[in-house]
Amino acid sequence: MKYTAHINVMPLKELLDPQGKAVNNSLHNLGLNGVSDVRIGKCIAMHIDAANKEAAENIAREACKKLLANPVMEAFDYTITEG
Amino acid sequence: MKYTAHINVMPLKELLDPQGKAVNNSLHNLGLNGVSDVRIGKCIAMHIDAANKEAAENIAREACKKLLANPVMEAFDYTITEG
């Protein structure tokens, strides 16, 4: 069965996020002053062929652990939908 | 009032995603063969101080249009939650 995984890989909250700080300052310069605590990460979408939803979740978790997320600096979460 | 915006900026579907292809191949090399159509984008989280949810949505949309998403190559979507 075909599933779609949406994975978000974000820097750990306790780490400094220079990229996020730079975007935060740029948004203020563009007049969007209500914005704060900007953090930037990776968003990964993929199709997963699996027997059931649980198997698809296992594949998504494996993909994060083996390749997509660096556990020292990043945390990941994912949602799996059918189709 | 404080809101949290989660913004996903992904490459347009009709565009080639070399980064996604590279990750797709790497995942296959790691034995995760059920994976296909990998696409990589940006995931941006931020706090927004706004009068109400609609105002927070406007700020998130403005941030995407002015800075975070390149309309020629990328599409964005966002979710706004309280707190």
Side-chain angles (χ1 to χ4, degrees):
Chain A
M1 222 171 132
K2 201 119 192 177
Y3 296 89
T4 299
H6 286 277
I7 298 168
N8 290 329
V9 178
M10 297 296 284
L12 293 175
K13 285 207 169 138
E14 46 276 20
L15 288 184
L16 192 66
D17 182 357
Q19 204 180 2
K21 284 246 177 312
V23 167
N24 201 114
N25 295 339
S26 301
L27 290 173
H28 285 181
N29 293 340
L30 288 168
L32 296 171
N33 296 313
V35 168
S36 59
D37 308 323
V38 177
R39 293 188 316 115
I40 313 266
K42 292 172 285 201
C43 173
I44 300 133
M46 63 176 70
H47 287 139
I48 297 178
D49 227 349
N52 52 51
K53 189 168 183 182
E54 203 185 323
E57 285 188 358
N58 289 336
I59 290 173
R61 197 177 313 114
E62 277 294 294
C64 291
K65 284 184 177 172
K66 285 184 173 176
L67 182 69
L68 303 176
N70 172 352
V72 174
M73 302 172 56
E74 295 171 326
F76 65 85
D77 62 78
Y78 52 82
T79 55
I80 305 281
T81 52
E82 282 187 23
Chain B
M1 220 172 136
K2 202 119 188 173
Y3 296 89
T4 299
H6 287 278
I7 298 167
N8 291 330
V9 178
M10 297 295 285
L12 292 175
K13 286 207 169 143
E14 47 275 20
L15 289 183
L16 193 65
D17 182 356
Q19 204 179 5
K21 285 244 177 313
V23 167
N24 202 115
N25 294 339
S26 302
L27 290 173
H28 286 182
N29 294 339
L30 290 167
L32 297 171
N33 296 314
V35 169
S36 59
D37 308 322
V38 177
R39 293 189 312 118
I40 314 269
K42 292 173 284 201
C43 173
I44 299 132
M46 63 177 71
H47 287 138
I48 297 177
D49 226 349
N52 52 52
K53 189 168 183 181
E54 202 186 325
E57 286 188 356
N58 288 336
I59 291 173
R61 198 179 310 115
E62 278 294 296
C64 291
K65 285 185 176 171
K66 285 185 174 175
L67 181 70
L68 303 176
N70 171 352
V72 174
M73 303 173 57
E74 295 171 326
F76 65 84
D77 62 79
Y78 51 81
T79 54
I80 305 283
T81 52
E82 282 187 24

